[in-house]
Amino acid sequence: MKAKFKDGHFNACYGENTIYEKGTLQAMKKADLIELIECAQHNYEVLLDERDYFHAMVLSMAKELEEKK
């Protein structure tokens, strides 16, 4: 998720899909904003874990192929 200014409006976006616009974020309570941030952090951590898993898997496969030569 990223936040950006576009055409004078603030949007919190995931990819190119707008999830929250400025008015929505301004109307949210502090607890809701904290929950939104924690959710984004959790999703980012999950993506990092998946990246690390697939990276290790590719390295393992490459090692196995090298050993078979």
Side-chain angles (χ1 to χ4, degrees), residues 61-69:
M61 290 169 59
K63 183 178 177 183
E64 286 179 26
L65 288 172
E66 189 65 32
E67 289 173 356
K68 289 183 180 181
K69 286 184 177 182

Side-chain angles (χ1 to χ4, degrees), residues 1-3 10-14 17-45:
M1 184 191 287
K2 64 182 176 179
F10 174 81
N11 295 316
C13 302
Y14 183 79
N17 299 322
T18 299
I19 300 175
Y20 296 100
E21 293 183 345
K22 181 179 181 180
T24 306
L25 291 172
Q26 288 175 331
M28 292 176 85
K29 296 177 183 175
K30 184 177 179 181
D32 294 330
L33 289 170
I34 290 170
E35 185 177 339
L36 177 64
I37 292 167
E38 288 174 349
C39 178
Q41 287 174 328
H42 172 73
N43 290 342
Y44 182 67
E45 290 169 3

